[in-house]
């Protein structure tokens, strides 16, 4: 890690509050120097490997823009958003930060996000040359609240050797029955479990609902499923945890922050396709990607999502923020450095500049394979982040046996409906 970078992994709750109050006194900006040099703050979530790559791209930016200095900071996903909530509430959010669709409307409605349209008009930010319509990914109600740096879709990441030994052929059109039979066969052999329990992952459950003509959220921002739907889902998963088909929540927690896949505890796990890049770096086990199993042999419910960069509405340096974002999404050298760490590169210039190898090549090939399965994404309403966190936390309590399925479902609906204002 480059000396002088403000890199932090975890802080206590008191430390987060203190940092938020300190940042509030700075007005959300790193300030300006007497020689005209401007300093902006840039934060994201991820692991140390992502931080190394991002800091390399920051070095490239500073060499091209010597009058703009960038202070960097990162945390794991959940800790990042806890810290961001404190910072934004205190008026001291970073000038530019990593974002996703789940938080656009929530923080957009709170006027935390910078509308970048004026910077596009001023020529500081180019919104042309994006792939697959991603230039629209960060637009909410006519405002440009984020710019994508990479795109991805959901997948099954699996252990090649274990699947081959079990005779499982994960391919387009395979069904949940096919998948269930396969993971049961692996688990019954003893040792490695057939799969992780992803029952608390909102995005994964959303795909299953979409296969049934529903969705996690409706177009008007309500929950798009009934208590009976969730009771069946969590009951089935809890039964598989108890009978040993799925890994126990205790062992999954012990593996954190690594995944159960990269810890070689399971033979498969559902996640965003680009996660195979990180997980492959954490183990020598050969992994591959497969489409989501289906109910009818056709509809997977998959959609294309993206990681994005947003600016802080109260930044003192909106032009410099726009220049920074523009560089990060269009500069070919940035694409060569980042690869598919944050998903397949969002702009044509970076996509063409990078030649994927290893796990990155698997991601590129997978997305080409499932292009015809991709559907439009349901917009995420304000309150999504609270609902997502509650879904994961409450399933964890159910999986640990701290709550019954019925109690967990009732608690989730209560918390989610309150968060969504319904």
């Amino acid at each position: 890690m480059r000396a002088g970078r403000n890199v932090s992994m975890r802080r206590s709750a008191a430390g987060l509050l203190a940092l938020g109050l300190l940042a509030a006194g700075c007005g959300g900006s790193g300030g300006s120097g007497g020689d005209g040099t401007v300093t902006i703050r840039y934060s994201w979530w991820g692991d140390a490997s992502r931080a190394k790559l991002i800091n390399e791209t920051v070095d490239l930016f500073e060499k091209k823009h010597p009058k703009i200095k960038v202070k960097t900071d990162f945390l794991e996903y959940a800790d990042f958003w806890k810290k961001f909530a404190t910072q934004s509430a205190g008026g001291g959010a970073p000038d530019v930060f990593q974002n996703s669709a789940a938080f656009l409307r929530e923080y957009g409605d709170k006027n935390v996000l910078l509308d970048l349209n004026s910077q596009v008009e001023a020529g500081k930010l180019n919104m042309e040359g994006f792939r697959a319509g991603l230039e629209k990914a960060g637009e909410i109600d006519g405002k440009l609240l984020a710019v994508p740096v990479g795109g991805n879709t959901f997948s099954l990441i699996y252990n090649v050797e274990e699947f081959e030994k079990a005779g499982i052929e994960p391919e387009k059109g395979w069904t949940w029955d096919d998948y269930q039979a396969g993971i049961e066969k692996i688990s019954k052999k003893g040792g490695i479990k057939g799969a992780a329990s992803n029952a608390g992952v909102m995005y994964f459950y959303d795909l299953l609902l979409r296969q049934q003509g529903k969705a996690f959220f409706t177009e008007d921002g309500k929950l798009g499923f009934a208590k009976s739907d969730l009771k069946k889902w969590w009951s089935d998963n809890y039964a598989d945890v108890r009978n040993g088909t799925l890994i126990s929540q205790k062992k999954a927690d012990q593996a954190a922050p690594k995944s159960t896949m990269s810890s070689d505890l399971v033979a498969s796990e559902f996640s965003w396709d680009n996660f195979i890049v990180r997980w492959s770096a954490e183990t020598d086990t050969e992994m591959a990607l497969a489409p989501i199993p289906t109910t009818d042999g056709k509809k997977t419910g998959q959609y294309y999502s993206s990681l994005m960069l947003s600016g802080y509405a109260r930044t003192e340096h909106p032009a410099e923020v726009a220049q920074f974002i523009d560089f990060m999404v269009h500069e070919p050298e940035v694409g060569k450095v980042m690869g598919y760490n944050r998903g397949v590169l969002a702009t044509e210039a970076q996509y063409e500049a990078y030649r994927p190898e290893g796990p990155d090549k698997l991601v590129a090939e997978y997305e080409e394979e499932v292009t015809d399965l991709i559907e439009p994404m349901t917009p995420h309403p304000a309150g999504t982040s609270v609902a997502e966190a509650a879904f994961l936390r409450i399933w964890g309590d159910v999986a640990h046996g701290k709550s019954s399925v019925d109690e967990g479902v009732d608690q989730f609906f209560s918390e989610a409906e309150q968060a969504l204002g319904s």
Side-chain angles (χ1 to χ4, degrees):
M1 199 66 60
R2 193 172 101 170
R5 294 284 188 222
N6 176 25
V7 178
S8 59
M9 289 301 293
R10 294 188 181 275
R11 302 181 188 271
S12 65
L16 290 179
L17 179 58
L19 182 60
L21 293 174
L22 176 62
C26 298
S29 172
S32 302
D35 62 351
T37 299
V38 167
T39 300
I40 60 175
R41 293 162 48 220
Y42 173 32
S43 298
W44 67 92
W45 67 84
D47 64 345
S49 63
R50 176 174 291 176
K52 180 178 182 296
L53 298 177
I54 289 180
N55 278 321
E56 287 182 32
T57 66
V58 169
D59 288 339
L60 292 173
F61 175 79
E62 290 181 336
K63 287 177 182 177
K64 188 167 183 178
H65 300 275
K67 290 294 185 179
I68 306 176
K69 302 301 180 184
V70 184
K71 290 183 178 180
T72 63
D73 178 64
F74 77 99
L75 289 165
E76 288 287 346
Y77 180 80
D79 291 333
F80 173 91
W81 287 110
K82 288 178 184 177
K83 177 178 177 179
F84 186 82
T86 300
Q87 291 175 318
S88 59
D95 299 277
V96 60
F97 53 93
Q98 188 169 284
N99 206 346
S100 74
F103 298 89
L104 283 185
R105 187 170 292 281
E106 177 173 347
Y107 283 106
D109 288 351
K110 294 177 181 178
N111 297 316
V112 172
L113 306 183
L114 177 67
D115 184 356
L116 292 160
N117 277 320
S118 61
Q119 298 303 321
V120 175
E121 295 171 1
K124 301 293 185 181
L125 175 61
N126 177 15
M127 289 305 294
E128 297 182 357
F130 284 82
R131 300 176 51 252
L134 284 173
E135 67 277 2
K136 300 291 185 181
E139 290 186 3
I140 297 288
D141 299 331
K143 296 181 179 180
L144 179 60
L145 301 181
V147 182
V149 292
N152 52 14
T153 188
F154 234 73
S155 67
L156 176 72
I157 302 177
Y158 67 95
N159 181 315
V160 174
E161 181 180 359
E162 291 293 336
F163 267 49
E164 287 180 349
K165 287 193 299 185
I168 307 172
E169 297 183 10
E171 56 189 1
K172 272 187 177 180
W174 68 321
T175 66
W176 289 107
D177 288 340
D178 298 330
Y179 175 71
Q180 185 70 21
I183 62 173
E184 287 179 0
K185 185 175 182 180
I186 292 172
S187 295
K188 285 177 181 177
K189 293 188 307 179
I192 193 170
K193 296 297 183 182
S197 173
N198 295 126
V201 179
M202 179 187 76
Y203 298 100
F204 178 47
Y205 187 48
D206 185 32
L207 299 189
L208 273 74
L209 290 168
R210 289 162 66 92
Q211 290 186 14
Q212 302 166 35
K214 304 177 183 179
F216 202 97
F217 300 112
T218 63
E219 292 287 345
D220 60 353
K222 312 294 184 183
L223 291 176
F225 56 99
K227 286 186 177 182
S228 58
D229 295 316
L230 186 55
K231 284 181 181 179
K232 182 179 188 322
W233 171 237
W234 277 357
S235 294
D236 290 347
N237 276 266
Y238 185 68
D240 278 342
V241 170
R242 292 298 299 270
N243 68 30
T245 299
L246 302 177
I247 193 170
S248 71
Q249 191 66 36
K250 181 179 180 180
K251 287 188 176 180
D253 291 345
Q254 290 172 344
K258 291 180 66 175
S259 73
T260 53
M261 270 295 292
S262 62
S263 298
D264 295 320
L265 297 174
V266 300
S268 63
E269 185 165 353
F270 293 97
S271 191
W272 299 106
D273 56 9
N274 65 302
F275 273 48
I276 195 174
V277 178
R278 173 176 174 178
W279 293 353
S280 293
E282 297 174 343
T283 178
D284 293 329
T285 300
E286 182 184 0
M287 300 181 193
L289 297 165
I292 305 298
T294 67
T295 300
D296 61 3
K298 298 177 182 180
K299 184 180 177 66
T300 65
Q302 289 174 259
Y303 52 81
Y304 207 51
S305 186
S306 64
L307 285 182
M308 309 179 228
L309 294 181
S310 288
Y312 180 38
R314 294 175 62 177
T315 180
E316 296 176 1
H317 308 293
E320 287 79 6
V321 165
Q323 286 179 282
F324 179 79
I325 294 175
D326 184 84
F327 184 88
M328 290 299 164
V329 299
H330 290 289
E331 172 57 45
E333 291 302 314
V334 170
K336 292 178 182 179
V337 171
M338 291 305 303
Y340 294 167
N341 182 275
R342 297 177 296 192
V344 177
L345 295 159
T347 58
E348 294 289 353
Q350 291 189 352
Y351 183 79
E352 294 299 329
Y354 179 65
R355 294 293 178 263
E357 297 179 353
D360 282 5
K361 187 175 182 180
L362 293 178
V363 175
E365 292 173 347
Y366 172 74
E367 294 208 358
E368 289 181 6
E369 178 187 354
V370 301
T371 296
D372 61 328
L373 302 176
I374 301 299
E375 303 173 358
M377 179 179 178
T378 305
H380 289 104
T384 292
S385 63
V386 176
E388 178 188 5
F391 196 69
L392 182 62
R393 169 174 46 81
I394 295 169
W395 161 250
D397 288 342
V398 171
H400 277 299
K402 296 179 180 179
S403 301
S404 69
V405 169
D406 285 353
E407 290 170 339
V409 170
D410 287 342
Q411 183 182 353
F412 170 74
F413 268 75
S414 176
E415 293 186 22
E417 288 175 346
Q418 182 177 358
L420 297 172
S422 56

